[in-house]
Amino acid sequence: MRRCRLKKISVGNIVKNRVQGSQGGPQGPTGGFLPVKTPGSLMKSRVHAPVLAGSFHSSAIVKTACIALLAFAFAGTTRLHAQSATSLYKSGQNAEAREDYDAAYDFYQKANAKNPKDITYRAALYRVRTTAAGVHVTNGRNLLQSGNEQGALAQFLHAAALDPSNEAATQEIRKLQAKNPNSVPPEAAIPQAEGEQQEVESMGAPITLKPVSNERLTLHMTEDAKVIYEAVGKAAGVNVLFDPDYNSKRIQVDLNNVSLMDALRIVGTMSITFWRPITANSIFVAQNTRIKRTELDSQAVQTFYLSNAWQQNDLNDVQTALRNVITNAKFFGVASQNAIVMRGTPDEILLAQKIIGDLDKARAEVVVDIAVMEVSKNWERNLGIAWPGSVSVAIKPGCVSTATTDCTSTTPVNSTLYDFAHLNSNNFAVTVGAATLNLLLSNSNTKVLQSPRIRATDDQKASMKIGSRIPVATGSYQTGAATAVVSSLVNTQFQYQDVGVQIEMTPTVHFDHDVTIKIKIEVTSHSGDVTISGVTEPIISQRVIDQVIRLREGEASLLGGIQSNQDSQNSTGIPGLGALPILRYIFGSKDHSTSDDDIVFAIVPHIVRTQDLNQANLRPVDTGTGQSIDLRLSSENNAGGSAFNSPPSVRPASLQGPVGTAPGASAEAAVPALMAQMNAAAQNASTPPPVPPPPVPVQATPPPATPGANVQAAAKSASPASSFALTMPSGSVANGSSFQVPVVLNSGNDVASVPVQIKYDPTKVTLVNVSAGDLLNRDGQAVALIHRDDGPGNVTVVASRPPGAPGISGSGSVCILTFQAKAAGATSLTMTRAGAVDSKQQPLTVQPAQANLVIQ
């Protein structure tokens, strides 16, 4: 007896096991397999067991069965292979949707390895590779900023392994390798430039004086200036050399507890000399004249790269400022590199660096929510019976009757006097109009809302067009000359008219977070058609707002609006009877219709980037006397007491808080309140208030131009019932460790949105992450959490529930701030701005919070 054995093929073994399982295990007396009574193979064993048992003695059939099993095995292998690649591809798509790009890259790579001929897998692999590498580069830069160089290097190496063409990762690795050559593994090291590059790197920077001793000096002498210079230098461990052309004179110096720099400055002023360092512990003294300064002032060259110059005017403005302030230096702008090359003294270069740091700032950016709301309400009721308005009686024309025909069926003839003398009821025709029963009630409510959002840079024009273009005939002309056989052709000229929403705006973001917007909003639509000289032309309705307005951040303002109300009544009926109170609907009909049309234009600005100004940008700098730049480089430079040294405040206290603002609210959410204010103002203007006047709602008191005045009065009169709390870690925090600070709102009532601004010390801690809390999403609603960096040490967080969702009451965490300690010492977190908004978009009064922390 011959059998088919498939032990060398895994899938074939599976098929063999299936055959044996369905047709028997042990052999029977006839040489076949005894049927095995398993639930899954009972039917197969009954049908196929006798046939196979009787056919296994034939070698041809056995070969045929083996070939069939092999074909089935290879077919199953192909299907499993294709399904495996498809499954991996779908897993990669799911991982990419979750923004897990590393997992997506791994799945796509495996799918491409299983089926390299399928271009879909290869395209997905190339697409996600760039994104995954970019994510690792971003993570590495964040870690590098926080001081974790090893973690940053791991991220950069991973990015370079994923995408070797990512030059940003290679550049970052090269920087870390130059800083610490042993930090990069040998297999990942990048060859460095040699030869001329090493000579360039060997060039020294301008010399800086480094005295041996920094102790403060006390000196009382009346001696030659050279002797006093040498005494000061000997006390600080500095060698003093003199110009051969210098003729010293006797001076009197009284120094009490001053630094070395101040002592040298005082001696130089009294002796009319200046000094320059020639080595780290040596200075050269000469007579303070223009010629000597020109001869002895050391020169340096430095290239400044501007980070925020994206147009030629930005580069020109910085160059103009430098040329007007530092008149003796030389500047050259390189537009292709956004760079400025400067040659001057070290003090001039240092001053230029300060000026460029003050001017090379990213322009502020603002996102403007715009809402155009049109509400049209039409109501009509037509009730009653419309009786005929007239009755006419006419004499029928005469006719001739015969013996066989009736007069009604004969042809009419002219009437005679005899006919008039014998008139009867058959000779008159009476015409009565039809009566109509009117039972009509119609009510239509149309709401059209267009809510575009546009982001623009400070002082730069931004435009948006959303809609379509329709052709409008502007003229026609005739070609050729008409003949008797062929007529000339008439060609019509068309122009395309934009229909939809067109927005043009130029914002200006001020230092106090106010926004001035020059805006033009034009809303056009195709409202109908008209035929002019045989040509159908479209009728275009338009609504245009063009104005300049200044708003606070998050303040919803009404740009313009119009309210149109129409009320018409039309009554018909039988005179007298149609005026009866009850029977007027039987003997007459009344048609009453009303139409209300409201149009509102509203905007809400949201600043997403501000000017990054700090105390160093605002403080004055001492540049010395005369035309030359002579900076005072004392380490004890006391700049206190000047009005220019105050840190840039976010907003004065009188302008802070939720007064007149709607932080985080969109223009769409603010439109109903603005329309209610407009309707209430129109009603108050048309109806005189009774005496004594009843209580007026808060929103109906102010004119439409100041929608936030009522909110301000209500916020001032309301007593604070809610408060914030910053939950700091118990005890101290180790330097370099991460910790979380929940922002907790206590005793909240109908809270829909919470905007807060928190100030921290960036030299002590670094903000790592902002995550949502558990207060606003207790009922399962999705919470939108937005945070932005408002400069070093300032973060603004806005947590909002969906529009239209009810507010949340109670206590809980709004958001969780994750910090990383970076320097030992005591620090604090302060809420510089705290507020809350209820579900009706009204501000709630909330007490801010402050917390202290110790880092060891």
Side-chain angles (χ1 to χ4, degrees):
M1 182 183 64
R2 304 178 62 184
R3 297 183 184 178
C4 177
R5 300 185 180 273
L6 301 173
K7 293 184 179 181
K8 294 184 180 181
I9 303 175
S10 59
V11 180
N13 292 332
I14 297 174
V15 176
K16 176 182 176 181
N17 293 335
R18 289 182 178 177
V19 174
Q20 292 179 352
S22 62
Q23 297 179 357
Q27 297 180 3
T30 60
F33 291 101
L34 295 177
V36 178
K37 307 302 182 179
T38 58
S41 60
L42 182 59
M43 184 175 294
K44 294 182 179 181
S45 63
R46 290 180 178 177
V47 175
H48 298 284
V51 177
L52 292 176
S55 302
F56 262 56
H57 295 282
S58 174
S59 60
I61 296 179
V62 171
K63 292 180 180 180
T64 304
C66 292
I67 294 173
L69 292 176
L70 288 173
F72 177 76
F74 284 111
T77 304
T78 305
R79 286 197 300 270
L80 290 175
H81 178 79
Q83 290 176 0
S84 178
T86 304
S87 178
L88 290 170
Y89 178 71
K90 291 182 179 179
S91 299
Q93 288 180 321
N94 296 333
E96 187 177 1
R98 298 192 308 267
E99 297 184 357
D100 188 359
Y101 299 108
D102 286 343
Y105 178 82
D106 184 58
F107 284 126
Y108 289 150
Q109 190 177 33
K110 292 179 180 179
N112 183 61
K114 286 184 174 293
N115 193 358
K117 294 183 179 180
D118 195 332
I119 195 173
T120 303
Y121 306 149
R122 190 180 308 170
L125 177 63
Y126 292 161
R127 181 186 68 251
V128 79
R129 180 175 64 181
T130 304
T131 305
V135 170
H136 284 288
V137 171
T138 303
N139 295 338
R141 287 172 176 170
N142 293 335
L143 292 174
L144 192 62
Q145 186 177 3
S146 62
N148 188 358
E149 295 185 358
Q150 293 298 327
L153 179 61
Q155 293 289 334
F156 296 144
L157 292 175
H158 195 172
L162 289 175
D163 187 7
S165 64
N166 192 316
E167 188 62 27
T170 305
Q171 292 173 353
E172 297 294 345
I173 296 173
R174 186 181 291 112
K175 292 178 182 178
L176 292 176
Q177 182 179 350
K179 185 177 181 181
N180 187 5
N182 298 327
S183 62
V184 181
E187 62 274 7
I190 300 175
Q192 301 294 319
E194 298 180 357
E196 296 181 359
Q197 183 64 26
Q198 293 180 354
E199 295 181 359
V200 172
E201 294 178 355
S202 66
M203 293 189 301
I207 299 173
T208 302
L209 183 62
K210 298 179 181 180
V212 176
S213 175
N214 289 322
E215 295 183 0
R216 305 182 71 83
L217 305 176
T218 299
L219 182 64
H220 302 280
M221 296 182 64
T222 303
E223 292 289 345
D224 189 89
K226 291 184 177 181
V227 176
I228 297 177
Y229 264 118
E230 290 175 350
V232 172
K234 184 179 295 184
V238 175
N239 301 321
V240 181
L241 305 177
F242 296 94
D243 183 25
D245 297 334
Y246 170 58
N247 296 320
S248 63
K249 63 180 181 178
R250 189 180 181 88
I251 61 175
Q252 181 180 355
V253 175
D254 293 321
L255 304 178
N256 293 314
N257 195 24
V258 297
S259 64
L260 173 63
M261 294 298 179
D262 289 339
L264 294 175
R265 187 178 300 107
I266 293 172
V267 175
T269 302
M270 297 188 66
S271 61
I272 313 177
T273 58
F274 74 98
W275 61 271
R276 287 289 179 264
I278 55 177
T279 63
N281 62 344
S282 302
I283 62 174
F284 187 82
V285 180
Q287 193 71 30
N288 191 3
T289 61
R290 184 64 184 171
I291 297 176
K292 282 297 181 181
R293 280 189 173 271
T294 305
E295 292 178 358
L296 299 178
D297 277 345
S298 60
Q299 299 288 314
V301 177
Q302 185 169 351
T303 303
F304 299 96
Y305 291 92
L306 306 184
S307 302
N308 301 286
W310 53 274
Q311 56 183 359
Q312 183 64 37
N313 290 338
D314 298 336
L315 186 63
N316 294 338
D317 291 343
V318 177
Q319 290 186 81
T320 302
L322 292 175
R323 289 194 178 100
N324 292 331
V325 174
I326 308 175
T327 57
N328 297 326
K330 297 181 180 180
F331 304 92
F332 181 78
V334 184
S336 60
Q337 299 293 330
N338 282 336
I340 297 177
V341 181
M342 174 185 174
R343 183 176 184 270
T345 65
D347 286 351
E348 291 173 344
I349 289 179
L350 187 58
L351 179 61
Q353 182 177 357
K354 197 267 180 188
I355 295 175
I356 292 175
D358 295 341
L359 299 180
D360 186 22
K361 299 289 185 181
R363 293 196 178 190
E365 296 182 15
V366 60
V367 172
V368 178
D369 279 338
I370 303 171
V372 181
M373 172 75 80
E374 180 177 358
V375 179
S376 179
K377 299 179 180 179
N378 297 315
W379 180 86
E380 181 180 3
R381 184 182 65 185
N382 192 354
L383 183 62
I385 300 175
W387 293 95
S390 62
V391 177
S392 61
V393 180
I395 300 176
K396 298 171 62 176
C399 60
V400 179
S401 302
T402 62
T404 58
T405 60
D406 190 9
C407 181
T408 58
S409 61
T410 58
T411 303
V413 297
N414 296 329
S415 301
T416 62
L417 293 177
Y418 178 81
D419 296 330
F420 283 103
H422 297 84
L423 292 175
N424 54 31
S425 60
N426 293 329
N427 298 110
F428 293 93
V430 180
T431 303
V432 181
T436 305
L437 177 62
N438 295 322
L439 293 174
L440 174 63
L441 178 62
S442 63
N443 187 2
S444 63
N445 190 345
T446 303
K447 175 181 177 181
V448 178
L449 175 65
Q450 293 172 326
S451 182
R453 172 177 288 190
I454 184 171
R455 177 168 178 166
T457 305
D458 180 34
D459 204 26
Q460 298 296 317
K461 182 179 179 181
S463 61
M464 174 186 290
K465 291 184 179 181
I466 303 174
S468 58
R469 307 186 72 190
I470 59 176
V472 178
T474 58
S476 60
Y477 63 94
Q478 190 172 7
T479 60
T483 61
V485 180
V486 181
S487 63
S488 60
L489 299 178
V490 177
N491 295 330
T492 304
Q493 297 176 339
F494 292 91
Q495 289 184 354
Y496 284 88
Q497 176 71 34
D498 293 328
V499 174
V501 179
Q502 300 184 41
I503 302 171
E504 293 181 357
M505 73 171 190
T506 304
T508 301
V509 182
H510 302 280
F511 179 69
D512 59 353
H513 286 192
D514 282 3
V515 182
T516 298
I517 304 176
K518 185 179 186 302
I519 189 169
K520 180 180 180 181
I521 304 175
E522 183 175 356
V523 182
T524 57
S525 61
H526 182 197
S527 59
D529 297 294
V530 62
T531 302
I532 303 175
S533 300
V535 180
T536 301
E537 297 285 356
I539 300 176
I540 299 175
S541 62
Q542 63 176 357
R543 301 168 181 84
V544 181
I545 290 289
D546 188 358
Q547 61 178 285
V548 179
I549 187 172
R550 178 164 177 165
L551 300 172
R552 291 194 288 269
E553 180 189 5
E555 178 182 0
S557 178
L558 181 68
L559 287 181
I562 184 173
Q563 183 179 19
S564 175
N565 299 323
Q566 295 182 358
D567 192 339
S568 62
Q569 297 184 11
N570 186 14
S571 300
T572 60
I574 300 175
L577 298 178
L580 296 177
I582 299 177
L583 302 178
R584 60 183 178 182
Y585 293 109
I586 299 177
F587 298 100
S589 177
K590 182 178 181 182
D591 187 2
H592 183 198
S593 63
T594 60
S595 177
D596 297 334
D597 192 9
D598 297 337
I599 302 175
V600 170
F601 292 83
I603 64 171
V604 179
H606 300 282
I607 298 177
V608 295
R609 186 193 297 273
T610 59
Q611 288 181 301
D612 186 14
L613 299 179
N614 51 37
Q615 186 174 355
N617 301 131
L618 302 178
R619 69 182 183 91
V621 176
D622 183 10
T623 59
T625 59
Q627 297 181 354
S628 61
I629 302 297
D630 190 7
L631 300 181
R632 185 158 52 93
L633 303 177
S634 174
S635 59
E636 301 176 1
N637 187 5
N638 184 13
S642 175
F644 297 96
N645 294 321
S646 59
S649 59
V650 177
R651 183 182 295 277
S654 59
L655 298 179
Q656 288 186 0
V659 178
T661 63
S666 63
E668 179 181 354
V671 162
L674 295 176
M675 293 186 66
Q677 291 178 1
M678 185 180 67
N679 296 334
Q683 184 178 2
N684 292 340
S686 60
T687 304
V691 180
V696 181
V698 175
Q699 293 182 350
T701 304
T706 57
N710 298 315
V711 181
Q712 181 177 3
K716 290 182 178 180
S717 61
S719 59
S722 303
S723 62
F724 280 106
L726 297 174
T727 306
M728 303 293 286
S730 58
S732 60
V733 176
N735 188 11
S737 62
S738 300
F739 61 94
Q740 292 183 344
V741 179
V743 180
V744 180
L745 177 63
N746 297 318
S747 302
N749 184 17
D750 191 25
V751 179
S753 178
V754 178
V756 294
Q757 187 176 54
I758 299 176
K759 183 177 181 180
Y760 60 93
D761 188 358
T763 62
K764 300 291 185 182
V765 296
T766 300
L767 182 62
V768 179
N769 187 30
V770 179
S771 57
D774 59 352
L775 176 61
L776 299 182
N777 59 356
R778 287 182 176 176
D779 56 350
Q781 294 285 349
V783 177
L785 183 66
I786 303 174
H787 69 278
R788 69 169 184 269
D789 186 5
D790 288 342
N794 291 280
V795 59
T796 298
V797 182
V798 180
S800 304
R801 289 170 59 82
I808 290 292
S809 300
S811 302
S813 61
V814 177
C815 61
I816 300 175
L817 307 178
T818 303
F819 292 93
Q820 184 179 12
K822 58 187 298 186
T827 183
S828 63
L829 270 68
T830 305
M831 281 191 177
T832 58
R833 182 175 178 181
V837 180
D838 60 11
S839 59
K840 298 180 181 179
Q841 299 303 317
Q842 299 298 323
L844 302 174
T845 303
V846 186
Q847 291 285 358
Q850 183 178 1
N852 299 320
L853 179 68
V854 177
I855 302 175
Q856 293 183 351

